[in-house]
Amino acid sequence: MDALLPARHAVVTCGPALAPIDDVRRITNFSTGELGVRLCEELVRNGWRVTCLKGTGATYRDPEGANLRVIPFETNGDLLDALVGMDEPESVSTVFHAAALCDFEVFRIEGPDGTELLEKKIPSFYPEVRVLLRPSFKLLPRLEEIFPKAKVVGWKFELRGDRASALTCAKVQLDLVHSSLCVLNGAAYGDGFGIMDHSGLIAEVASRTELSRWLCDWAERSRRPLPKLSAG
């Protein structure tokens, strides 16, 4: 039976990206990378080959296990390049995009008089420094193109609003990027994690461990049979 199913090859992104201000300073998100590491290890325990792309700013340890490759990244662009450069993207059946990427990147840095500052290390004697940001690109919508045979799982972390508004945000994400699932958490959602598909909320779990097990089971169930080759 397994000969007619796609290979158990999953890609997991986790940890934070960073956006450089100068050569020694950066903007980043708070993310330990723990959830992604736990998910990688759950997949490996269940017979999957896993490629883990982990932000260098993650404070949680690297995943462990056989049949596992860890690729570090720093910026959003680094992660995109690593994904595009992967060998045999058609072998990937599931992508879990849990990395906390930067929503903004540094566009320009100005001194008190509006002059652009281009030093590798901006001097600290300025009474005021303005850091101008612009939105960074979104990686999630590109994953379907990079991995044409994979089902994609995205994340939605919401702090403002309530549970209803958080569910709405997750639905909007699903509709915009056509991913298979959206994992929802944050203060707006409340305790634990919600899991949504295009029909609505389909599961709720209380912990990272439960979420990793649920997603691993889902990935196994959702592997689509390959078409049989005709004789001759």
Side-chain angles (χ1 to χ4, degrees):
M1 178 67 76
D2 273 2
L4 299 177
L5 293 175
R8 290 186 179 92
H9 183 191
V11 168
V12 179
T13 72
C14 63
L18 61 88
I21 297 174
D22 57 21
D23 283 5
V24 298
R25 303 179 181 96
R26 61 197 59 185
I27 297 171
T28 189
N29 291 323
F30 177 77
S31 172
T32 65
E34 179 182 356
L35 174 55
V37 170
R38 288 176 178 266
L39 177 56
C40 286
E41 293 179 340
E42 184 69 25
L43 289 163
V44 167
R45 279 193 294 270
N46 284 273
W48 286 70
R49 176 161 67 100
V50 178
T51 302
C52 175
L53 297 105
K54 184 168 178 274
T56 57
T59 57
Y60 201 71
R61 60 173 174 80
D62 284 353
E64 300 174 348
N67 221 10
L68 171 69
R69 182 186 182 195
V70 180
I71 302 173
F73 71 89
E74 291 192 348
T75 67
N76 290 17
D78 290 340
L79 177 56
L80 175 60
D81 289 344
L83 292 169
V84 170
M86 282 183 55
D87 295 332
E88 300 180 345
E90 296 84 2
S91 73
V92 177
S93 59
T94 314
V95 179
F96 298 97
H97 184 41
L101 298 190
C102 295
D103 292 321
F104 298 93
E105 61 186 8
V106 176
F107 170 62
R108 179 182 168 93
I109 304 171
E110 298 178 351
D113 61 354
T115 301
E116 185 175 11
L117 304 179
L118 299 173
E119 291 93 337
K120 291 185 177 181
K121 181 182 178 184
I122 299 168
S124 59
F125 58 70
Y126 287 109
E128 180 181 273
V129 173
R130 300 184 187 93
V131 178
L132 305 181
L133 305 178
R134 63 184 174 191
S136 185
F137 69 87
K138 298 294 186 183
L139 180 57
L140 182 60
R142 304 188 184 192
L143 294 176
E144 185 177 34
E145 179 182 354
I146 298 171
F147 302 102
K149 295 184 178 180
K151 293 192 174 182
V152 176
V153 179
W155 261 251
K156 194 66 177 170
F157 179 78
E158 290 295 323
L159 295 175
R160 296 182 59 185
D162 55 16
R163 181 184 176 89
S165 64
L167 291 170
T168 298
C169 289
K171 183 179 186 307
V172 169
Q173 177 176 289
L174 285 165
D175 291 342
L176 285 176
V177 303
H178 309 296
S179 51
S180 295
L181 294 180
C182 179
V183 178
L184 179 62
N185 67 312
Y189 176 76
D191 295 335
F193 300 86
I195 304 164
M196 288 187 66
D197 67 8
H198 291 273
S199 69
L201 188 67
I202 59 173
E204 295 179 276
V205 295
S207 68
R208 294 181 180 93
T209 299
E210 291 178 61
L211 178 62
S212 297
R213 291 171 179 166
W214 193 99
L215 290 174
C216 185
D217 290 343
W218 172 85
E220 185 62 38
R221 295 193 308 269
S222 65
R223 286 197 301 151
R224 292 170 290 192
L226 296 172
K228 293 183 179 181
L229 298 177
S230 58

